[in-house]
Amino acid sequence: MRRVQTIGEKPYVPIGVSNRHIHLKQEDLEILFGTGYQLTKWKDLQQPGQFAAKETVTIVGNKGELEHVRILGPVRNITQVEISRTDSFKLGVRAPIKESGNIAGTPGILLKGPCGELKITEGVIVAFRHIHVPPHFAEKFQLKDKDLVEVELGDERKTIFKNVLIRVSEKYVLEMHLDTDEANAAGVGNGDLGLIRKG
Amino acid sequence: MRRVQTIGEKPYVPIGVSNRHIHLKQEDLEILFGTGYQLTKWKDLQQPGQFAAKETVTIVGNKGELEHVRILGPVRNITQVEISRTDSFKLGVRAPIKESGNIAGTPGILLKGPCGELKITEGVIVAFRHIHVPPHFAEKFQLKDKDLVEVELGDERKTIFKNVLIRVSEKYVLEMHLDTDEANAAGVGNGDLGLIRKG
């Protein structure tokens, strides 16, 4: 396994870069891919049980569209489209910075699958940057669920991201999720390490 | 004018976001647009004498291409393509982080204009983030040409960019240049203010 999950003396966190992706509820998956459709696993993600599906959709905004947008599985209770701010300008959608799942009042968009189209009325967000933290790491470094911390990362493009949300759960593997704008601004990629500091 | 250039008590700097763009030497402009061609001004940029031209080109990489890439004028002594790291992945070109003009050893790429194609052998860079500083501002805040500073900017996505290069010249208007990855990672746009701190 690429990422060392042993805890050292400093709160280093491996980075996972999230490209634009979509979570679907079963009902919406079936509109796009057909009745009774099941997602096919393409590869496992770092977070246990989560996977990138083979299936992709096209997202169509007022100004442009994005093809081959990956679906992440398993299906969820809500349908949610996570894009970068760069993507939001290309699509022409005013996606707010939101924590995953917090989609009330967010804009909708048109999705196109091989078997149908679906106009969702909400669910397009730019993800609030966050760190998945298992309890043993949280305890060692005195981090609590919903804390906001800062993280220093990068080299040539060294950057400190403030307002990074801590999420603690036994289901999590230690990982900081950044979108492509954030990763590219700091010049970092999957598996690079950031250093957590209390803000 | 949108930007206040009066100097306050703190070293605030207005941000200018650079989308992907290209600088051309006259000889290369003529290959792409025809013999004796002159750029047409579309709009002035903040830096005196610099302008966005009406003309655009297509940049073609191994993995993808980018259409409608704006040419900035006036023509220069070297041809240089400035893209974001996000763009570099789309094109499939390993563009290094470089200061403008410092293109020795950088990769080339294929350019397409309405009258011809041009394969440049070097000149594709991701710009090193930098601040154009007029001498009176440099003096007040004790900044020297080629200093590296850090800049805090953004709100919801508050960010500190380190390794920001100071360039001082009488030709400059105070402005921090970020690319679209950097601006979007910090959630800032043209005219927003960053605060310079000595690193």
Side-chain angles (χ1 to χ4, degrees):
Chain A
M1 196 174 150
R2 185 183 67 227
R3 300 181 188 182
V4 179
Q5 294 282 339
T6 325
I7 302 183
E9 288 311 303
K10 288 186 173 183
Y12 283 105
V13 55
I15 290 155
V17 183
S18 299
N19 203 343
R20 64 184 78 102
H21 62 271
I22 178 166
H23 302 283
L24 289 172
K25 50 186 176 188
Q26 181 63 29
E27 167 191 349
D28 290 349
L29 174 66
E30 298 194 9
I31 293 171
L32 296 165
F33 288 85
T35 308
Y37 197 85
Q38 299 287 315
L39 289 173
T40 320
K41 189 186 288 189
W42 174 48
K43 58 181 180 185
D44 284 314
L45 301 179
Q46 286 290 317
Q47 296 306 313
Q50 304 296 303
F51 62 89
K54 287 187 180 162
E55 293 82 1
T56 63
V57 295
T58 297
I59 303 178
V60 184
N62 294 326
K63 281 183 61 185
E65 62 180 56
L66 296 167
E67 295 181 310
H68 311 300
V69 177
R70 185 72 53 193
I71 301 172
L72 301 191
V75 290
R76 294 194 176 181
N77 294 326
I78 57 165
T79 288
Q80 177 174 290
V81 177
E82 295 182 47
I83 58 176
S84 70
R85 212 167 123 97
T86 295
D87 294 335
S88 77
F89 291 121
K90 173 154 191 189
L91 292 168
V93 59
R94 288 181 170 274
I97 313 285
K98 290 283 186 184
E99 190 184 348
S100 182
N102 185 13
I103 61 167
T106 61
I109 206 153
L110 180 66
L111 308 177
K112 286 186 183 179
C115 291
E117 295 186 5
L118 170 66
K119 176 84 181 72
I120 58 172
T121 56
E122 62 179 15
V124 182
I125 66 168
V126 176
F128 200 104
R129 48 202 179 214
H130 59 279
I131 305 178
H132 293 270
V133 180
H136 64 291
F137 185 93
E139 196 177 323
K140 171 151 185 177
F141 295 109
Q142 298 178 290
L143 299 168
K144 294 189 311 296
D145 191 50
K146 298 190 181 169
D147 275 357
L148 289 175
V149 298
E150 58 183 56
V151 177
E152 180 169 314
L153 68 186
D155 182 13
E156 237 181 333
R157 290 194 139 183
K158 186 174 282 194
T159 298
I160 299 170
F161 287 125
K162 308 193 92 157
N163 292 346
V164 180
L165 182 68
I166 293 289
R167 295 313 313 262
V168 181
S169 166
E170 290 183 356
K171 297 179 299 183
Y172 291 155
V173 164
L174 183 65
E175 187 180 38
M176 178 179 191
H177 281 182
L178 294 177
D179 69 18
T180 49
D181 288 340
E182 293 167 325
N184 290 335
V188 296
N190 283 324
D192 286 343
L193 296 176
L195 181 61
I196 299 171
R197 300 194 304 209
K198 301 231 174 174
Chain B
M1 195 174 151
R2 185 184 64 226
R3 300 180 190 185
V4 180
Q5 293 281 340
T6 325
I7 303 183
E9 289 310 304
K10 289 187 172 181
Y12 282 105
V13 55
I15 290 155
V17 183
S18 299
N19 203 343
R20 66 186 73 105
H21 62 272
I22 177 165
H23 301 282
L24 289 172
K25 51 185 176 188
Q26 182 62 32
E27 169 190 349
D28 290 349
L29 175 66
E30 297 193 8
I31 294 170
L32 297 166
F33 289 86
T35 307
Y37 197 86
Q38 298 288 313
L39 289 173
T40 318
K41 187 187 289 187
W42 175 47
K43 58 182 183 186
D44 285 313
L45 301 178
Q46 286 291 317
Q47 296 306 314
Q50 304 296 304
F51 63 90
K54 287 187 179 163
E55 292 81 3
T56 64
V57 295
T58 296
I59 303 177
V60 184
N62 294 328
K63 281 184 58 185
E65 62 180 58
L66 295 167
E67 295 183 308
H68 312 300
V69 177
R70 186 71 53 192
I71 301 173
L72 301 192
V75 291
R76 294 193 175 180
N77 294 327
I78 57 165
T79 289
Q80 177 174 291
V81 177
E82 296 182 46
I83 59 176
S84 69
R85 211 167 124 97
T86 294
D87 293 335
S88 76
F89 291 121
K90 173 155 190 184
L91 292 168
V93 60
R94 287 182 171 272
I97 312 285
K98 289 283 186 185
E99 191 183 348
S100 182
N102 185 14
I103 62 168
T106 61
I109 206 154
L110 179 66
L111 309 177
K112 288 186 181 178
C115 291
E117 295 186 3
L118 170 65
K119 176 83 181 74
I120 58 172
T121 55
E122 60 179 13
V124 182
I125 65 168
V126 175
F128 200 105
R129 49 202 179 214
H130 59 281
I131 305 178
H132 294 269
V133 178
H136 63 293
F137 186 93
E139 196 175 324
K140 171 149 186 177
F141 295 109
Q142 298 178 288
L143 300 168
K144 295 190 310 295
D145 191 49
K146 299 189 179 169
D147 275 357
L148 289 175
V149 298
E150 57 183 55
V151 177
E152 179 170 315
L153 70 184
D155 182 13
E156 238 181 332
R157 291 192 137 183
K158 185 174 282 192
T159 298
I160 298 169
F161 286 125
K162 308 192 93 155
N163 292 347
V164 180
L165 182 67
I166 294 289
R167 296 313 314 260
V168 181
S169 167
E170 291 183 356
K171 298 179 299 183
Y172 291 155
V173 163
L174 183 65
E175 188 179 39
M176 177 178 193
H177 280 183
L178 294 178
D179 69 19
T180 49
D181 288 339
E182 294 167 324
N184 290 335
V188 295
N190 282 324
D192 286 343
L193 296 176
L195 181 60
I196 299 171
R197 300 193 305 209
K198 301 230 174 176

